[in-house]
Amino acid sequence: MRTLFLAVFLSITSAGAFAHGDQVHIGGIITSVSPTAVSIKTADGKTTEVKLIKNTVFIRRVQNSDQPATASDLAVGEKVFVHAIPVGNTLEASEVKFSTPEKATAKSPSAKGF
């Protein structure tokens, strides 16, 4: 399941941002976050700022399940996928899905002679 999620995430983020109905989808890594906005660096190296509004829904992906979250749970370095509505020259997030990158597991010491 983790591999499927990663494959979908990478295929979406490699496109950067694309239109779907009246919303724009942006995927990448959070580079900055404030109570009112989040900046996202996409796979193509571009950075996009998205406004966080009172109706924005936040979802954190934890161990293959979605958990309710808040804007204060967002952190620099997390993977993120945002559904946003264009309003003038800005983007307003309707939904923000994010996950903390998995930490590298420590290698166990190998037996001598191997």
Side-chain angles (χ1 to χ4, degrees):
M1 184 69 169
R2 183 180 303 161
T3 303
L4 176 61
F5 175 75
L6 181 60
V8 170
F9 181 81
L10 290 175
S11 67
I12 291 170
T13 58
S14 66
F18 57 91
H20 179 44
D22 64 341
Q23 295 198 17
V24 175
H25 300 174
I26 303 105
I29 304 296
I30 297 174
T31 58
S32 71
V33 64
S34 75
T36 59
V38 62
S39 292
I40 304 161
K41 185 174 184 178
T42 60
D44 63 3
K46 295 181 183 176
T47 300
T48 302
E49 181 179 270
V50 180
K51 303 281 184 200
L52 304 175
I53 58 174
K54 69 178 182 175
N55 296 332
T56 301
V57 174
F58 298 91
I59 301 168
R60 177 188 288 273
R61 185 83 176 159
V62 178
Q63 296 180 351
N64 297 323
S65 69
D66 292 338
Q67 310 274 327
T70 65
S72 63
D73 294 323
L74 296 172
V76 170
E78 292 178 319
K79 297 176 187 175
V80 67
F81 187 76
V82 178
H83 298 268
I85 300 167
V87 178
N89 293 329
T90 65
L91 294 171
E92 293 183 353
S94 59
E95 182 179 79
V96 176
K97 290 185 176 184
F98 61 101
S99 64
T100 304
E102 291 184 36
K103 294 180 181 175
T105 57
K107 291 183 180 179
S108 60
S110 61
K112 284 195 166 205
F114 286 87

XYZ file of all heavy atoms in Angstrom:
840
model
N 0.829 -1.186 0.000
C 0.000 0.000 0.000
C 0.878 1.257 0.000
O 0.559 2.215 -0.660
C -0.923 -0.037 1.226
C -1.889 1.096 1.263
S -3.095 0.902 -0.048
C -4.252 2.105 0.397
N 1.972 1.227 0.776
C 2.870 2.375 0.836
C 3.459 2.646 -0.539
O 3.594 3.786 -0.958
C 3.974 2.120 1.856
C 4.899 3.309 2.026
C 5.981 3.068 3.025
N 5.423 2.700 4.305
C 6.095 2.087 5.248
N 7.345 1.759 5.070
N 5.524 1.781 6.379
N 3.807 1.584 -1.253
C 4.373 1.740 -2.590
C 3.360 2.374 -3.528
O 3.714 3.242 -4.324
C 4.825 0.366 -3.132
O 5.752 -0.202 -2.219
C 5.466 0.500 -4.488
N 2.103 1.955 -3.433
C 1.054 2.540 -4.271
C 0.893 4.020 -3.967
O 0.834 4.843 -4.886
C -0.274 1.812 -4.057
C -1.477 2.383 -4.808
C -1.241 2.315 -6.315
C -2.728 1.614 -4.445
N 0.859 4.383 -2.674
C 0.734 5.792 -2.297
C 1.907 6.598 -2.842
O 1.732 7.662 -3.415
C 0.658 5.939 -0.770
C 0.638 7.360 -0.306
C -0.506 8.124 -0.432
C 1.763 7.950 0.251
C -0.532 9.434 -0.019
C 1.749 9.255 0.665
C 0.583 10.005 0.536
N 3.123 6.066 -2.705
C 4.313 6.756 -3.193
C 4.271 6.907 -4.706
O 4.579 7.972 -5.236
C 5.579 6.004 -2.768
C 6.902 6.623 -3.200
C 7.048 8.023 -2.620
C 8.055 5.746 -2.775
N 3.851 5.861 -5.420
C 3.770 5.925 -6.881
C 2.763 6.984 -7.328
O 3.040 7.774 -8.237
C 3.390 4.564 -7.445
N 1.611 7.024 -6.673
C 0.606 8.030 -7.017
C 1.131 9.418 -6.686
O 1.023 10.342 -7.487
C -0.722 7.753 -6.279
C -1.690 8.902 -6.432
C -1.345 6.463 -6.795
N 1.735 9.573 -5.514
C 2.259 10.872 -5.111
C 3.313 11.360 -6.098
O 3.269 12.497 -6.543
C 2.859 10.792 -3.699
C 3.406 12.094 -3.209
C 2.558 13.048 -2.683
C 4.759 12.378 -3.272
C 3.048 14.254 -2.234
C 5.254 13.575 -2.826
C 4.393 14.525 -2.304
N 4.249 10.495 -6.483
C 5.305 10.901 -7.401
C 4.764 11.224 -8.789
O 5.220 12.166 -9.435
C 6.385 9.822 -7.497
C 7.249 9.659 -6.257
C 8.187 8.479 -6.422
C 8.006 10.931 -5.956
N 3.784 10.465 -9.255
C 3.241 10.760 -10.580
C 2.503 12.082 -10.579
O 2.546 12.827 -11.555
C 2.320 9.631 -11.059
O 1.159 9.568 -10.268
N 1.864 12.401 -9.482
C 1.142 13.667 -9.389
C 2.112 14.825 -9.220
O 1.995 15.847 -9.882
C 0.121 13.625 -8.231
C -0.997 12.648 -8.591
C -0.442 15.009 -7.936
C -1.930 12.336 -7.457
N 3.098 14.664 -8.344
C 4.023 15.767 -8.094
C 4.940 16.026 -9.266
O 5.401 17.141 -9.455
C 4.877 15.530 -6.830
O 5.587 14.323 -6.977
C 4.018 15.523 -5.584
N 5.192 15.021 -10.088
C 6.052 15.257 -11.242
C 5.390 16.196 -12.232
O 6.053 16.868 -13.003
C 6.430 13.934 -11.915
O 5.278 13.337 -12.476
N 4.081 16.278 -12.192
C 3.366 17.203 -13.067
C 3.352 18.610 -12.484
O 2.988 19.553 -13.180
C 1.937 16.716 -13.274
N 3.739 18.753 -11.193
C 3.732 20.081 -10.575
C 2.323 20.502 -10.249
O 1.748 20.080 -9.286
N 1.781 21.345 -11.092
C 0.413 21.822 -10.874
C -0.378 21.598 -12.154
O 0.111 21.813 -13.245
C 0.428 23.303 -10.523
N -1.608 21.145 -11.998
C -2.434 20.946 -13.175
C -3.881 21.236 -12.819
O -4.271 21.209 -11.657
C -2.269 19.533 -13.742
C -2.570 18.445 -12.750
C -3.835 17.919 -12.638
C -1.582 17.955 -11.929
C -4.117 16.924 -11.728
C -1.842 16.951 -11.010
C -3.120 16.438 -10.918
N -4.668 21.533 -13.816
C -6.061 21.901 -13.583
C -6.934 20.657 -13.515
O -6.696 19.677 -14.193
C -6.542 22.817 -14.696
N -7.949 20.701 -12.675
C -8.940 19.645 -12.589
C -10.237 20.316 -12.182
O -10.407 20.680 -11.021
C -8.508 18.602 -11.570
C -9.484 17.485 -11.396
N -10.114 16.859 -12.432
C -9.938 16.868 -10.290
C -10.919 15.919 -11.965
N -10.822 15.910 -10.663
N -11.122 20.525 -13.138
C -12.313 21.294 -12.848
C -11.898 22.721 -12.557
O -11.097 23.294 -13.289
N -12.413 23.283 -11.487
C -12.050 24.658 -11.128
C -10.900 24.714 -10.130
O -10.521 25.779 -9.682
C -13.269 25.399 -10.578
C -13.786 24.784 -9.284
O -13.457 23.628 -9.004
O -14.528 25.481 -8.569
N -10.324 23.557 -9.777
C -9.243 23.534 -8.799
C -7.899 23.251 -9.460
O -7.821 22.662 -10.521
C -9.509 22.488 -7.727
C -10.739 22.838 -6.901
C -10.786 22.091 -5.595
O -9.779 21.547 -5.135
N -11.945 22.060 -4.983
N -6.854 23.703 -8.781
C -5.481 23.440 -9.183
C -4.902 22.505 -8.137
O -5.180 22.645 -6.951
C -4.676 24.770 -9.226
C -3.215 24.510 -9.513
C -5.276 25.718 -10.244
N -4.106 21.536 -8.577
C -3.495 20.584 -7.656
C -1.995 20.817 -7.653
O -1.375 20.865 -8.709
C -3.808 19.157 -8.083
C -5.274 18.867 -8.120
N -5.782 17.698 -8.585
C -6.351 19.609 -7.749
C -7.096 17.716 -8.499
N -7.461 18.877 -8.001
N -1.442 20.965 -6.466
C -0.006 21.197 -6.320
C 0.544 20.158 -5.361
O 0.031 19.990 -4.253
C 0.302 22.610 -5.768
C -0.299 23.684 -6.653
C 1.806 22.841 -5.664
C -1.506 24.319 -6.064
N 1.601 19.485 -5.764
C 2.232 18.495 -4.912
C 3.722 18.765 -4.824
O 4.333 19.235 -5.780
N 4.288 18.481 -3.665
C 5.718 18.672 -3.489
C 6.108 18.637 -2.025
O 5.495 17.947 -1.226
N 7.118 19.431 -1.699
C 7.662 19.488 -0.342
C 7.445 20.896 0.222
O 7.689 21.894 -0.464
C 9.170 19.165 -0.336
C 9.437 17.792 -0.982
C 9.755 19.239 1.068
C 8.839 16.622 -0.246
N 7.003 20.976 1.466
C 6.779 22.270 2.112
C 8.125 22.955 2.347
O 9.028 22.378 2.956
C 6.030 22.102 3.445
C 4.643 21.516 3.200
C 5.935 23.443 4.186
C 3.874 21.171 4.471
N 8.244 24.210 1.856
C 9.477 24.979 2.068
C 9.294 26.066 3.118
O 10.266 26.517 3.708
C 9.976 25.612 0.760
O 8.950 26.446 0.222
C 10.360 24.540 -0.251
N 8.062 26.515 3.316
C 7.768 27.453 4.410
C 6.290 27.355 4.719
O 5.470 26.999 3.876
C 8.161 28.886 4.052
O 7.301 29.417 3.075
N 5.962 27.681 5.968
C 4.574 27.611 6.408
C 4.331 28.708 7.431
O 5.196 29.030 8.241
C 4.240 26.206 6.972
C 5.041 25.894 8.209
C 2.765 26.053 7.225
N 3.160 29.329 7.334
C 2.720 30.328 8.306
C 1.253 30.034 8.605
O 0.658 29.168 7.958
C 2.885 31.738 7.723
O 1.876 32.002 6.766
N 0.647 30.743 9.540
C -0.766 30.500 9.816
C -1.684 30.817 8.622
O -2.810 30.338 8.568
C -1.076 31.442 10.988
C 0.246 31.674 11.638
C 1.247 31.653 10.519
N -1.188 31.585 7.651
C -2.043 32.002 6.536
C -1.624 31.466 5.169
O -2.355 31.639 4.192
C -2.096 33.534 6.445
O -0.767 34.036 6.252
C -2.705 34.136 7.696
N -0.459 30.805 5.069
C 0.002 30.331 3.759
C 1.034 29.223 3.907
O 1.683 29.085 4.938
C 0.598 31.484 2.958
N 1.167 28.454 2.821
C 2.190 27.418 2.743
C 2.860 27.542 1.382
O 2.200 27.806 0.381
C 1.588 26.008 2.964
C 0.582 25.644 1.904
C 2.660 24.952 3.048
N 4.192 27.402 1.362
C 4.941 27.410 0.110
C 5.385 25.990 -0.182
O 5.871 25.279 0.714
C 6.160 28.325 0.198
O 5.737 29.668 0.297
N 5.242 25.599 -1.453
C 5.505 24.226 -1.867
C 6.496 24.217 -3.027
O 6.286 24.914 -4.019
C 4.196 23.548 -2.323
C 3.159 23.611 -1.207
C 4.455 22.112 -2.780
C 1.744 23.407 -1.675
N 7.561 23.427 -2.877
C 8.509 23.247 -3.977
C 8.115 21.974 -4.710
O 8.100 20.886 -4.123
C 9.944 23.142 -3.462
C 10.965 23.067 -4.578
C 12.372 23.123 -4.034
C 13.379 23.139 -5.158
N 14.743 23.231 -4.643
N 7.789 22.114 -6.002
C 7.354 20.979 -6.803
C 8.561 20.236 -7.373
O 9.693 20.713 -7.290
C 6.426 21.442 -7.941
O 7.138 22.362 -8.772
C 5.169 22.108 -7.386
N 8.316 19.092 -7.977
C 9.389 18.264 -8.528
C 10.185 18.979 -9.606
O 11.358 18.692 -9.810
C 8.810 16.968 -9.085
N 9.559 19.956 -10.290
C 10.279 20.693 -11.333
C 11.069 21.871 -10.779
O 11.634 22.659 -11.526
C 9.333 21.145 -12.446
C 8.256 22.112 -11.967
O 8.257 22.489 -10.777
O 7.404 22.484 -12.794
N 11.107 22.012 -9.434
C 11.912 23.050 -8.796
C 11.207 24.376 -8.589
O 11.785 25.286 -8.001
N 9.979 24.503 -9.054
C 9.235 25.757 -8.873
C 8.612 25.783 -7.482
O 8.249 24.758 -6.927
C 8.145 25.889 -9.930
C 8.696 26.018 -11.335
C 7.579 26.159 -12.342
C 8.151 26.224 -13.749
N 7.108 26.264 -14.762
N 8.495 26.986 -6.927
C 7.857 27.160 -5.629
C 6.549 27.912 -5.812
O 6.503 28.930 -6.496
C 8.778 27.920 -4.655
O 9.985 27.174 -4.497
C 8.124 28.104 -3.297
N 5.483 27.397 -5.206
C 4.156 27.990 -5.300
C 3.639 28.276 -3.898
O 3.752 27.421 -3.014
C 3.182 27.031 -6.013
O 3.695 26.731 -7.306
C 1.798 27.623 -6.140
N 3.072 29.464 -3.696
C 2.461 29.794 -2.408
C 0.950 29.587 -2.507
O 0.331 29.987 -3.486
C 2.749 31.234 -2.004
C 2.133 31.568 -0.642
C 2.411 32.980 -0.175
O 3.433 33.172 0.491
O 1.598 33.861 -0.490
N 0.384 28.957 -1.474
C -1.047 28.716 -1.410
C -1.559 29.291 -0.098
O -0.990 29.040 0.966
C -1.363 27.208 -1.493
C -2.858 26.971 -1.438
C -0.772 26.597 -2.756
N -2.624 30.087 -0.182
C -3.240 30.685 1.012
C -4.042 29.632 1.769
O -4.730 28.808 1.175
C -4.178 31.833 0.627
C -3.527 32.939 -0.165
C -2.756 33.842 0.734
C -2.202 34.991 -0.106
N -1.115 35.658 0.506
N -3.954 29.661 3.089
C -4.766 28.817 3.958
C -5.937 29.653 4.433
O -5.742 30.748 4.961
C -3.928 28.312 5.134
C -2.650 27.559 4.748
C -1.848 27.207 5.994
C -2.972 26.321 3.932
N -7.147 29.158 4.215
C -8.346 29.914 4.579
C -9.108 29.182 5.676
O -8.776 28.040 6.013
C -9.236 30.159 3.340
C -9.649 28.833 2.692
C -8.505 31.042 2.329
C -10.633 28.969 1.547
N -10.129 29.812 6.227
C -10.833 29.207 7.360
C -11.518 27.891 7.000
O -11.713 27.050 7.857
C -11.836 30.186 7.971
C -13.020 30.504 7.101
C -13.981 31.434 7.805
C -15.185 31.698 6.922
N -16.182 32.498 7.594
N -11.841 27.683 5.721
C -12.511 26.450 5.304
C -11.546 25.367 4.821
O -11.998 24.304 4.394
C -13.519 26.756 4.196
C -14.632 27.651 4.674
O -14.982 27.653 5.850
N -15.180 28.442 3.783
N -10.248 25.617 4.870
C -9.280 24.619 4.423
C -9.363 23.379 5.319
O -9.385 23.490 6.539
C -7.842 25.185 4.462
O -7.772 26.336 3.628
C -6.840 24.152 3.971
N -9.405 22.211 4.685
C -9.418 20.933 5.403
C -8.000 20.384 5.381
O -7.351 20.340 4.337
C -10.385 19.935 4.725
C -10.306 18.565 5.378
C -11.806 20.476 4.750
N -7.504 19.942 6.537
C -6.149 19.403 6.673
C -6.221 17.919 7.007
O -6.963 17.517 7.903
C -5.375 20.143 7.768
C -5.202 21.598 7.469
C -6.125 22.530 7.899
C -4.109 22.031 6.729
C -5.977 23.875 7.605
C -3.950 23.377 6.431
C -4.883 24.297 6.867
N -5.433 17.114 6.278
C -5.406 15.672 6.486
C -3.953 15.218 6.538
O -3.184 15.479 5.624
C -6.130 14.928 5.349
C -7.585 15.399 5.263
C -6.047 13.420 5.537
C -8.300 14.956 4.007
N -3.590 14.542 7.626
C -2.227 14.005 7.784
C -2.290 12.504 7.511
O -3.140 11.791 8.045
C -1.696 14.240 9.184
C -0.297 13.619 9.384
C 0.176 13.679 10.815
N 0.529 15.005 11.226
C 1.738 15.562 11.050
N 2.684 14.873 10.465
N 1.987 16.763 11.472
N -1.369 12.027 6.690
C -1.251 10.597 6.384
C -0.293 9.981 7.394
O 0.877 10.366 7.471
C -0.725 10.422 4.959
C -0.669 9.007 4.500
C -2.012 8.583 4.007
N -1.894 7.229 3.466
C -2.914 6.439 3.329
N -4.116 6.837 3.637
N -2.752 5.247 2.842
N -0.806 9.049 8.215
C -0.005 8.401 9.249
C -0.193 6.893 9.130
O -1.322 6.407 9.245
C -0.432 8.856 10.662
C 0.363 8.138 11.732
C -0.318 10.356 10.809
N 0.887 6.180 8.888
C 0.874 4.722 8.818
C -0.311 4.201 8.003
O -1.140 3.438 8.484
C 0.877 4.117 10.213
C 2.138 4.436 10.971
C 2.136 3.840 12.366
O 1.139 3.326 12.837
N 3.268 3.921 13.027
N -0.401 4.649 6.772
C -1.410 4.193 5.817
C -2.849 4.545 6.175
O -3.782 3.896 5.715
C -1.294 2.685 5.570
C 0.025 2.326 4.949
O 0.557 3.064 4.123
N 0.578 1.195 5.336
N -3.051 5.550 7.008
C -4.409 6.008 7.274
C -4.424 7.532 7.354
O -3.426 8.158 7.699
C -4.959 5.402 8.564
O -4.292 5.911 9.686
N -5.549 8.110 6.986
C -5.713 9.556 7.031
C -6.242 9.982 8.394
O -7.169 9.366 8.923
C -6.672 10.024 5.933
C -6.097 9.842 4.541
O -4.864 9.753 4.417
O -6.876 9.799 3.579
N -5.625 11.026 8.958
C -6.002 11.549 10.264
C -6.371 13.016 10.127
O -5.721 13.741 9.375
C -4.809 11.443 11.230
C -4.153 10.095 11.286
C -4.823 9.179 12.268
O -5.313 9.623 13.279
N -4.844 7.900 11.962
N -7.387 13.497 10.838
C -7.686 14.928 10.817
C -6.498 15.708 11.373
O -5.792 15.225 12.262
C -8.903 15.078 11.725
C -9.304 13.715 12.143
C -8.259 12.747 11.709
N -6.271 16.897 10.847
C -5.139 17.715 11.277
C -5.534 19.185 11.236
O -6.665 19.528 10.877
C -3.943 17.447 10.375
N -4.578 20.046 11.599
C -4.787 21.492 11.559
C -3.589 22.137 10.873
O -2.558 21.497 10.663
C -4.924 22.082 12.979
O -3.679 21.903 13.660
C -6.051 21.420 13.768
N -3.703 23.409 10.574
C -2.612 24.143 9.932
C -1.354 24.117 10.793
O -0.238 24.069 10.270
C -3.032 25.583 9.647
N -1.514 24.117 12.103
C -0.341 24.125 12.982
C 0.429 22.803 12.939
O 1.553 22.729 13.429
C -0.757 24.450 14.418
O -1.610 23.448 14.923
N -0.143 21.751 12.335
C 0.549 20.478 12.197
C 1.527 20.463 11.019
O 2.379 19.588 10.941
C -0.454 19.335 12.002
C -1.320 19.108 13.226
O -0.812 19.232 14.354
O -2.515 18.811 13.049
N 1.394 21.420 10.098
C 2.273 21.476 8.925
C 3.681 21.863 9.340
O 3.870 22.690 10.232
C 1.757 22.500 7.915
C 0.406 22.218 7.274
C -0.046 23.415 6.445
C 0.461 20.968 6.422
N 4.686 21.272 8.656
C 6.086 21.591 8.954
C 6.914 21.549 7.674
O 6.625 20.789 6.747
C 6.651 20.610 9.974
N 7.954 22.372 7.658
C 8.892 22.397 6.536
C 9.478 20.995 6.360
O 9.809 20.321 7.336
C 10.001 23.445 6.785
C 11.107 23.320 5.753
C 9.413 24.839 6.783
N 9.575 20.545 5.107
C 10.147 19.248 4.788
C 9.128 18.147 4.584
O 9.464 17.079 4.089
N 7.864 18.401 4.953
C 6.844 17.383 4.774
C 6.383 17.330 3.326
O 6.381 18.335 2.623
C 5.639 17.659 5.685
C 5.958 17.473 7.145
C 4.796 17.789 8.053
O 4.080 18.769 7.810
O 4.622 17.032 9.022
N 5.964 16.127 2.904
C 5.355 15.954 1.587
C 3.936 16.490 1.672
O 3.236 16.276 2.669
C 5.305 14.479 1.205
C 6.654 13.840 1.067
C 6.491 12.356 0.796
C 7.820 11.655 0.826
N 7.671 10.202 0.673
N 3.491 17.186 0.608
C 2.170 17.791 0.648
C 1.507 17.708 -0.720
O 2.173 17.714 -1.756
C 2.260 19.267 1.140
C 2.984 20.141 0.137
C 0.899 19.833 1.454
N 0.192 17.603 -0.711
C -0.611 17.656 -1.923
C -1.793 18.563 -1.612
O -2.527 18.319 -0.658
C -1.091 16.261 -2.332
C -1.780 16.260 -3.651
C -1.054 16.349 -4.830
C -3.153 16.200 -3.727
C -1.687 16.369 -6.057
C -3.804 16.217 -4.948
C -3.065 16.296 -6.121
N -1.954 19.623 -2.406
C -2.970 20.643 -2.126
C -3.954 20.746 -3.277
O -3.567 20.788 -4.442
C -2.302 22.024 -1.900
C -3.351 23.099 -1.669
C -1.331 21.961 -0.735
N -5.238 20.803 -2.932
C -6.300 21.150 -3.873
C -6.585 22.625 -3.597
O -6.917 22.984 -2.463
C -7.569 20.337 -3.615
C -7.388 18.867 -3.772
N -7.622 18.213 -4.952
C -6.995 17.924 -2.893
C -7.382 16.927 -4.799
N -6.999 16.730 -3.554
N -6.436 23.472 -4.619
C -6.593 24.912 -4.407
C -7.501 25.525 -5.470
O -7.543 25.065 -6.612
C -5.233 25.594 -4.427
N -8.180 26.576 -5.078
C -9.059 27.313 -5.974
C -8.386 28.622 -6.347
O -7.979 29.384 -5.461
C -10.411 27.596 -5.281
C -11.079 26.274 -4.893
C -11.315 28.439 -6.171
C -12.255 26.428 -3.947
N -8.238 28.898 -7.653
C -7.677 30.184 -8.065
C -8.652 31.320 -7.725
O -9.829 31.242 -8.028
C -7.524 30.046 -9.586
C -7.641 28.586 -9.885
C -8.486 28.011 -8.799
N -8.130 32.343 -7.059
C -8.910 33.542 -6.727
C -8.043 34.734 -7.106
O -7.087 35.053 -6.409
C -9.296 33.589 -5.228
C -10.055 34.865 -4.910
C -10.101 32.366 -4.827
N -8.367 35.356 -8.232
C -7.514 36.435 -8.731
C -6.135 35.889 -9.042
O -6.000 34.894 -9.752
N -5.109 36.514 -8.464
C -3.729 36.073 -8.686
C -3.224 35.140 -7.596
O -2.018 34.885 -7.508
C -2.793 37.285 -8.780
C -3.065 38.102 -10.022
O -3.473 37.568 -11.049
N -2.855 39.401 -9.925
N -4.112 34.654 -6.741
C -3.690 33.781 -5.638
C -4.378 32.425 -5.737
O -5.309 32.233 -6.511
C -4.028 34.411 -4.269
O -5.444 34.515 -4.141
C -3.387 35.769 -4.103
N -3.892 31.504 -4.929
C -4.509 30.188 -4.795
C -4.954 30.027 -3.350
O -4.195 30.321 -2.428
C -3.510 29.081 -5.146
C -3.036 29.025 -6.587
C -1.890 28.023 -6.734
C -4.183 28.647 -7.507
N -6.197 29.566 -3.154
C -6.728 29.326 -1.814
C -6.944 27.828 -1.644
O -7.667 27.201 -2.425
C -8.032 30.087 -1.596
C -7.840 31.586 -1.572
C -9.119 32.350 -1.277
O -10.214 31.731 -1.218
O -9.026 33.575 -1.109
N -6.331 27.257 -0.608
C -6.396 25.814 -0.384
C -7.770 25.390 0.101
O -8.279 25.920 1.077
C -5.340 25.405 0.630
N -8.360 24.409 -0.584
C -9.586 23.807 -0.078
C -9.243 22.556 0.733
O -9.913 22.246 1.712
C -10.545 23.464 -1.219
O -9.949 22.576 -2.133
N -8.161 21.852 0.331
C -7.726 20.663 1.059
C -6.212 20.552 1.011
O -5.605 20.766 -0.037
C -8.349 19.417 0.439
C -8.001 18.131 1.165
C -8.672 16.926 0.533
O -8.175 16.449 -0.509
O -9.692 16.480 1.089
N -5.625 20.207 2.148
C -4.176 20.011 2.255
C -3.943 18.629 2.853
O -4.338 18.357 3.979
C -3.521 21.082 3.151
C -2.037 20.817 3.322
C -3.768 22.478 2.604
N -3.310 17.746 2.059
C -2.941 16.416 2.552
C -1.422 16.398 2.686
O -0.719 16.835 1.780
C -3.369 15.328 1.570
C -4.857 15.134 1.498
C -5.194 13.959 0.601
C -6.685 13.711 0.604
N -7.038 12.514 -0.181
N -0.925 15.875 3.808
C 0.518 15.903 4.021
C 0.968 14.701 4.833
O 0.171 14.040 5.488
C 0.946 17.201 4.695
C 0.328 17.412 6.057
C 1.050 17.146 7.203
C -0.969 17.883 6.189
C 0.496 17.347 8.463
C -1.536 18.092 7.446
C -0.801 17.820 8.581
N 2.272 14.423 4.731
C 2.862 13.346 5.516
C 4.306 13.692 5.821
O 4.976 14.365 5.047
C 2.797 12.013 4.770
O 3.573 12.063 3.595
N 4.767 13.221 6.962
C 6.147 13.424 7.368
C 7.001 12.395 6.649
O 6.627 11.228 6.598
C 6.277 13.249 8.894
O 5.374 14.154 9.518
C 7.689 13.522 9.366
N 8.138 12.825 6.090
C 8.999 11.839 5.423
C 9.427 10.751 6.404
O 9.663 11.026 7.575
C 10.213 12.658 4.974
C 9.786 14.072 5.032
C 8.689 14.165 6.046
N 9.485 9.516 5.893
C 9.916 8.411 6.747
C 11.382 8.585 7.080
O 12.183 8.939 6.224
C 9.710 7.077 6.026
C 8.252 6.739 5.869
C 8.072 5.369 5.250
O 8.882 4.465 5.549
O 7.129 5.219 4.484
N 11.717 8.342 8.330
C 13.113 8.435 8.756
C 13.837 7.168 8.323
O 13.265 6.086 8.342
C 13.187 8.600 10.274
C 12.604 9.903 10.737
C 12.678 10.042 12.228
C 12.048 11.374 12.621
N 11.968 11.538 14.049
N 15.070 7.355 7.935
C 15.876 6.187 7.554
C 16.055 5.304 8.774
O 16.329 5.775 9.861
C 17.228 6.633 7.024
N 15.852 4.027 8.567
C 16.007 3.114 9.697
C 17.487 2.847 9.903
O 18.254 2.701 8.954
C 15.269 1.791 9.433
O 15.765 1.234 8.219
C 13.780 1.999 9.346
N 17.865 2.798 11.138
C 19.272 2.534 11.463
C 19.610 1.096 11.103
O 18.841 0.196 11.378
C 19.520 2.796 12.935
N 20.753 0.918 10.501
C 21.170 -0.427 10.149
C 21.654 -1.120 11.416
O 22.349 -0.544 12.231
C 22.297 -0.388 9.121
C 21.849 0.106 7.778
C 22.972 0.049 6.782
C 22.518 0.548 5.431
N 23.588 0.526 4.449
N 21.242 -2.372 11.535
C 21.697 -3.113 12.701
C 23.138 -3.564 12.485
O 23.529 -3.851 11.366
C 20.788 -4.324 12.953
O 20.817 -5.168 11.823
N 23.899 -3.598 13.559
C 25.299 -4.003 13.398
C 25.353 -5.427 12.858
O 24.630 -6.299 13.306
C 25.873 -3.941 14.807
C 24.837 -3.305 15.664
C 23.553 -3.294 14.906
N 26.208 -5.650 11.902
C 26.325 -6.999 11.332
C 27.304 -7.820 12.169
O 28.184 -7.285 12.835
C 26.774 -6.923 9.879
O 28.036 -6.317 9.803
N 27.147 -9.113 12.050
C 28.038 -9.999 12.786
C 29.433 -9.937 12.176
O 29.579 -9.722 10.988
C 27.506 -11.430 12.719
N 30.459 -10.107 13.022
C 31.845 -10.065 12.514
C 32.041 -11.175 11.496
O 31.512 -12.253 11.624
C 32.833 -10.233 13.669
C 32.969 -9.006 14.489
C 34.192 -9.118 15.367
C 34.476 -7.728 15.894
N 35.830 -7.541 16.246
N 32.791 -10.824 10.490
C 33.102 -11.801 9.464
C 32.106 -11.828 8.327
O 32.299 -12.524 7.363
N 31.039 -11.052 8.429
C 30.042 -11.022 7.341
C 30.106 -9.739 6.608
O 30.312 -8.705 7.010
C 28.623 -11.211 7.907
C 28.356 -12.610 8.334
C 28.673 -13.046 9.604
C 27.801 -13.531 7.459
C 28.422 -14.325 10.017
C 27.548 -14.820 7.868
C 27.866 -15.226 9.140
